[in-house]
Amino acid sequence: MEQTVFASIRYSASCQDCGAELACWGVQSLVNGSLRWDTESRCPACGHAVAACGGDLPAELRNRLLSERGPALLQVGPSARNVVIMRVLRAEFGLDLVGVRAVLNEVVTGAYSGTMPEMEFLARKLRASGIDAVAVQSSEL
């Protein structure tokens, strides 16, 4: 059984009840083969609290997560077969041939990046297809 991979950030938002600043916590995780975005928030002024599980990671928070945590890179072994990588990329992203070739180039050169859960998700999909793949936090290189 593969372990859960996650990346988290703290952020603030306005309370929908009183307008005060909410203390928020967001976690992107890879659980049982699926990416998910979970959040919790609590208003210190009025006590309003919310937890939302399983949503999509908003683009602005993804950018902030990448900025604060640094990107992870997807690395594949030198013997990786391009056609297998392309098949996985097309299945996961719904890319056309031109789009998948552009992503393939980034993958085989070690330049394809994203959050650690996103890169581990792809690494697992590639490994399941027989490709030697690993997600590495760029700060560990």
Side-chain angles (χ1 to χ4, degrees):
M1 180 177 192
E2 295 186 280
Q3 71 183 82
T4 300
V5 176
F6 66 93
S8 61
I9 58 169
R10 289 188 182 273
Y11 61 99
S12 59
S14 295
C15 178
Q16 63 186 15
D17 285 354
C18 73
E21 187 174 292
L22 287 172
C24 303
W25 181 265
V27 179
Q28 184 188 42
S29 56
L30 176 56
V31 179
N32 298 325
S34 296
L35 286 170
R36 55 183 291 144
W37 173 248
D38 300 333
T39 61
E40 288 183 17
S41 60
R42 185 172 192 302
C43 180
C46 73
H48 176 79
V50 173
C53 300
D56 292 325
L57 174 58
E60 66 276 4
L61 291 177
R62 181 181 183 273
N63 291 339
R64 186 165 163 204
L65 184 62
L66 287 167
S67 175
E68 290 181 12
R69 301 283 183 226
L73 300 171
L74 179 63
Q75 297 180 335
V76 296
S79 63
R81 294 185 40 217
N82 288 357
V83 69
V84 177
I85 297 170
M86 290 173 69
R87 190 176 312 126
V88 170
L89 294 173
R90 287 192 73 180
E92 294 309 315
F93 298 131
L95 298 170
D96 62 16
L97 193 55
V98 172
V100 81
R101 282 188 177 151
V103 175
L104 173 67
N105 184 53
E106 290 183 50
V107 169
V108 298
T109 61
Y112 192 72
S113 67
T115 66
M116 180 53 97
E118 292 166 348
M119 295 303 96
E120 182 59 28
F121 173 80
L122 285 175
R124 289 179 186 182
K125 293 291 185 176
L126 289 166
R127 287 193 299 266
S129 294
I131 299 293
D132 181 24
V134 64
V136 179
Q137 195 66 43
S138 62
S139 61
E140 296 175 6
L141 296 175

